[in-house]
Amino acid sequence: MNYTRSEAKDYAFENWHGVCNVILPSFTADLKNINEAGIRHDVAHNIKQGFWGTLLVSECGTTKEEMKRFMEIAVDEADGKHNFLLHGTFDTPEDIIEMSKIGESTGVDGLLLGHPNSFYPTTQNELYDYLVHVCNNTNLAVCLFAAGHWNYTRLHPSGYPPEVLARAADLENVVAVKYEVARPGIAGDYEFWKMIRNKRVLFSDPFEAHSPLTVEMFGQQWMGTSNYEYFGKRVPKYFKMLRNNQYDDAMEVYWSLQPVRATRVAVQGSFAGANFIHRYLWKYQAWLHGYNGGPMRQPVMKLTDAQMKAVREGLVRGGFKLPDEGPTEFYRGRNPA
């Protein structure tokens, strides 16, 4: 690790600048093992795309040992040129802590702290105690993760009680909050940003369409995590421009993505209510921009021809030139094994 626990907040302020997307693990054709060549390809390609770093996604049917190897391969391939967050969404809090300790020794840069599916807090104190328990048992810099699919509207109408996040922001190794609740609109962003702006914790609204406002008004320096790879190189490009006060140039790139952005929202609407991220769709969207692609394990939503056609056409309307490749090549992957 490049920092100690007590240095985590300062380290993040100094080094977490840019856009953090996601990388899904790649698998062999028989789905019996992870595909090292595919993972290395994605890490190397991600660096070329201009991302600050990436989230190593854990919700793809990998075992603990495979997640350990996933981290090791990614860190080795990057050779210090990229940053990695461990996706902390495992079955139990103790599993998250165990994998976080492996992440410490492997060399990942932080933990995106999610919540086990079976965790059902009935009070805000119970939720806070969970965050404290995990954070106190890892030395990794922690990004708290407030999302609607945790099913916490019983605790606050926004989807995640902001008071709990603000209290947890005072923990020594909490360095950022991924705040993607209280939609539609971004009034919740403003309320929550005011609650933490003096706590030396990074505020991240991962919805890239909000970034021209959140960068200028809230000083957002780091954005993540989401599947920005669907937009090619353009999101890290315009985000950097926003940070450098090149607003007009940034907005030119921003608006070039509007057909892609609209397509993404429309396709997501086709499986609204599933409460399940369409990882196969994300894999395909990344593949369209040169990432590995390839088969994925269960459980995963089915990817339809209509969805593939829609997201591809959205990119064409956004001015992207795509190679003449089809679903057969996608399911094979760029580095079949």
PDB file of all heavy atoms in Angstrom, residues 65-77:
ATOM      1  N   GLU A  65     -10.870 -17.174  -4.240  1.00  0.00           N
ATOM      2  CA  GLU A  65      -9.534 -17.403  -4.792  1.00  0.00           C
ATOM      3  C   GLU A  65      -9.405 -16.757  -6.164  1.00  0.00           C
ATOM      4  O   GLU A  65      -8.352 -16.200  -6.498  1.00  0.00           O
ATOM      5  CB  GLU A  65      -9.252 -18.902  -4.883  1.00  0.00           C
ATOM      6  CG  GLU A  65      -7.858 -19.253  -5.366  1.00  0.00           C
ATOM      7  CD  GLU A  65      -6.744 -18.667  -4.494  1.00  0.00           C
ATOM      8  OE1 GLU A  65      -6.932 -18.589  -3.260  1.00  0.00           O
ATOM      9  OE2 GLU A  65      -5.698 -18.272  -5.056  1.00  0.00           O
ATOM     10  N   GLU A  66     -10.468 -16.818  -6.962  1.00  0.00           N
ATOM     11  CA  GLU A  66     -10.417 -16.176  -8.276  1.00  0.00           C
ATOM     12  C   GLU A  66     -10.377 -14.654  -8.153  1.00  0.00           C
ATOM     13  O   GLU A  66      -9.685 -13.981  -8.932  1.00  0.00           O
ATOM     14  CB  GLU A  66     -11.617 -16.610  -9.103  1.00  0.00           C
ATOM     15  CG  GLU A  66     -11.516 -18.045  -9.607  1.00  0.00           C
ATOM     16  CD  GLU A  66     -12.792 -18.537 -10.253  1.00  0.00           C
ATOM     17  OE1 GLU A  66     -13.882 -18.007  -9.916  1.00  0.00           O
ATOM     18  OE2 GLU A  66     -12.712 -19.451 -11.097  1.00  0.00           O
ATOM     19  N   MET A  67     -11.094 -14.089  -7.179  1.00  0.00           N
ATOM     20  CA  MET A  67     -11.018 -12.644  -6.964  1.00  0.00           C
ATOM     21  C   MET A  67      -9.619 -12.242  -6.543  1.00  0.00           C
ATOM     22  O   MET A  67      -9.105 -11.200  -6.976  1.00  0.00           O
ATOM     23  CB  MET A  67     -12.035 -12.205  -5.912  1.00  0.00           C
ATOM     24  CG  MET A  67     -13.418 -11.883  -6.454  1.00  0.00           C
ATOM     25  SD  MET A  67     -13.473 -10.644  -7.783  1.00  0.00           S
ATOM     26  CE  MET A  67     -12.783  -9.200  -6.980  1.00  0.00           C
ATOM     27  N   LYS A  68      -8.994 -13.045  -5.709  1.00  0.00           N
ATOM     28  CA  LYS A  68      -7.602 -12.780  -5.317  1.00  0.00           C
ATOM     29  C   LYS A  68      -6.710 -12.758  -6.552  1.00  0.00           C
ATOM     30  O   LYS A  68      -5.888 -11.849  -6.728  1.00  0.00           O
ATOM     31  CB  LYS A  68      -7.128 -13.832  -4.326  1.00  0.00           C
ATOM     32  CG  LYS A  68      -5.659 -13.715  -3.917  1.00  0.00           C
ATOM     33  CD  LYS A  68      -5.311 -14.781  -2.876  1.00  0.00           C
ATOM     34  CE  LYS A  68      -3.871 -14.654  -2.405  1.00  0.00           C
ATOM     35  NZ  LYS A  68      -2.894 -15.017  -3.459  1.00  0.00           N
ATOM     36  N   ARG A  69      -6.879 -13.747  -7.416  1.00  0.00           N
ATOM     37  CA  ARG A  69      -6.061 -13.819  -8.626  1.00  0.00           C
ATOM     38  C   ARG A  69      -6.403 -12.672  -9.575  1.00  0.00           C
ATOM     39  O   ARG A  69      -5.503 -12.120 -10.231  1.00  0.00           O
ATOM     40  CB  ARG A  69      -6.295 -15.176  -9.314  1.00  0.00           C
ATOM     41  CG  ARG A  69      -5.399 -15.421 -10.503  1.00  0.00           C
ATOM     42  CD  ARG A  69      -3.943 -15.503 -10.085  1.00  0.00           C
ATOM     43  NE  ARG A  69      -3.069 -15.602 -11.258  1.00  0.00           N
ATOM     44  CZ  ARG A  69      -1.939 -14.916 -11.394  1.00  0.00           C
ATOM     45  NH1 ARG A  69      -1.518 -14.094 -10.443  1.00  0.00           N
ATOM     46  NH2 ARG A  69      -1.207 -15.070 -12.482  1.00  0.00           N
ATOM     47  N   PHE A  70      -7.661 -12.301  -9.665  1.00  0.00           N
ATOM     48  CA  PHE A  70      -8.092 -11.163 -10.478  1.00  0.00           C
ATOM     49  C   PHE A  70      -7.346  -9.908 -10.053  1.00  0.00           C
ATOM     50  O   PHE A  70      -6.796  -9.164 -10.887  1.00  0.00           O
ATOM     51  CB  PHE A  70      -9.605 -11.001 -10.303  1.00  0.00           C
ATOM     52  CG  PHE A  70     -10.277  -9.960 -11.157  1.00  0.00           C
ATOM     53  CD1 PHE A  70      -9.712  -9.485 -12.334  1.00  0.00           C
ATOM     54  CD2 PHE A  70     -11.526  -9.452 -10.780  1.00  0.00           C
ATOM     55  CE1 PHE A  70     -10.358  -8.535 -13.113  1.00  0.00           C
ATOM     56  CE2 PHE A  70     -12.178  -8.508 -11.550  1.00  0.00           C
ATOM     57  CZ  PHE A  70     -11.592  -8.042 -12.715  1.00  0.00           C
ATOM     58  N   MET A  71      -7.291  -9.661  -8.749  1.00  0.00           N
ATOM     59  CA  MET A  71      -6.560  -8.494  -8.238  1.00  0.00           C
ATOM     60  C   MET A  71      -5.079  -8.581  -8.563  1.00  0.00           C
ATOM     61  O   MET A  71      -4.463  -7.606  -9.003  1.00  0.00           O
ATOM     62  CB  MET A  71      -6.780  -8.356  -6.731  1.00  0.00           C
ATOM     63  CG  MET A  71      -8.172  -7.903  -6.333  1.00  0.00           C
ATOM     64  SD  MET A  71      -8.309  -7.551  -4.548  1.00  0.00           S
ATOM     65  CE  MET A  71      -8.506  -9.206  -3.883  1.00  0.00           C
ATOM     66  N   GLU A  72      -4.492  -9.745  -8.350  1.00  0.00           N
ATOM     67  CA  GLU A  72      -3.053  -9.919  -8.587  1.00  0.00           C
ATOM     68  C   GLU A  72      -2.694  -9.665 -10.052  1.00  0.00           C
ATOM     69  O   GLU A  72      -1.708  -8.975 -10.353  1.00  0.00           O
ATOM     70  CB  GLU A  72      -2.622 -11.335  -8.191  1.00  0.00           C
ATOM     71  CG  GLU A  72      -2.654 -11.598  -6.704  1.00  0.00           C
ATOM     72  CD  GLU A  72      -2.418 -13.057  -6.361  1.00  0.00           C
ATOM     73  OE1 GLU A  72      -2.543 -13.920  -7.258  1.00  0.00           O
ATOM     74  OE2 GLU A  72      -2.116 -13.337  -5.183  1.00  0.00           O
ATOM     75  N   ILE A  73      -3.487 -10.218 -10.964  1.00  0.00           N
ATOM     76  CA  ILE A  73      -3.221 -10.032 -12.394  1.00  0.00           C
ATOM     77  C   ILE A  73      -3.339  -8.561 -12.774  1.00  0.00           C
ATOM     78  O   ILE A  73      -2.482  -8.011 -13.479  1.00  0.00           O
ATOM     79  CB  ILE A  73      -4.202 -10.879 -13.228  1.00  0.00           C
ATOM     80  CG1 ILE A  73      -3.941 -12.370 -13.021  1.00  0.00           C
ATOM     81  CG2 ILE A  73      -4.085 -10.528 -14.711  1.00  0.00           C
ATOM     82  CD1 ILE A  73      -5.038 -13.259 -13.581  1.00  0.00           C
ATOM     83  N   ALA A  74      -4.406  -7.900 -12.301  1.00  0.00           N
ATOM     84  CA  ALA A  74      -4.629  -6.502 -12.655  1.00  0.00           C
ATOM     85  C   ALA A  74      -3.508  -5.608 -12.149  1.00  0.00           C
ATOM     86  O   ALA A  74      -2.974  -4.771 -12.895  1.00  0.00           O
ATOM     87  CB  ALA A  74      -5.971  -6.033 -12.090  1.00  0.00           C
ATOM     88  N   VAL A  75      -3.112  -5.783 -10.892  1.00  0.00           N
ATOM     89  CA  VAL A  75      -2.059  -4.952 -10.313  1.00  0.00           C
ATOM     90  C   VAL A  75      -0.732  -5.210 -11.021  1.00  0.00           C
ATOM     91  O   VAL A  75       0.035  -4.282 -11.307  1.00  0.00           O
ATOM     92  CB  VAL A  75      -1.933  -5.218  -8.795  1.00  0.00           C
ATOM     93  CG1 VAL A  75      -0.694  -4.543  -8.223  1.00  0.00           C
ATOM     94  CG2 VAL A  75      -3.186  -4.727  -8.076  1.00  0.00           C
ATOM     95  N   ASP A  76      -0.458  -6.463 -11.326  1.00  0.00           N
ATOM     96  CA  ASP A  76       0.789  -6.793 -12.016  1.00  0.00           C
ATOM     97  C   ASP A  76       0.828  -6.191 -13.409  1.00  0.00           C
ATOM     98  O   ASP A  76       1.844  -5.629 -13.833  1.00  0.00           O
ATOM     99  CB  ASP A  76       0.942  -8.315 -12.098  1.00  0.00           C
ATOM    100  CG  ASP A  76       2.227  -8.730 -12.802  1.00  0.00           C
ATOM    101  OD1 ASP A  76       3.306  -8.542 -12.208  1.00  0.00           O
ATOM    102  OD2 ASP A  76       2.156  -9.228 -13.951  1.00  0.00           O
ATOM    103  N   GLU A  77      -0.270  -6.286 -14.140  1.00  0.00           N
ATOM    104  CA  GLU A  77      -0.308  -5.748 -15.497  1.00  0.00           C
ATOM    105  C   GLU A  77      -0.147  -4.234 -15.497  1.00  0.00           C
ATOM    106  O   GLU A  77       0.535  -3.672 -16.368  1.00  0.00           O
ATOM    107  CB  GLU A  77      -1.628  -6.129 -16.173  1.00  0.00           C
ATOM    108  CG  GLU A  77      -1.800  -5.590 -17.582  1.00  0.00           C
ATOM    109  CD  GLU A  77      -0.773  -6.125 -18.570  1.00  0.00           C
ATOM    110  OE1 GLU A  77      -0.285  -7.261 -18.378  1.00  0.00           O
ATOM    111  OE2 GLU A  77      -0.455  -5.406 -19.545  1.00  0.00           O
TER     112      GLU A  77
END
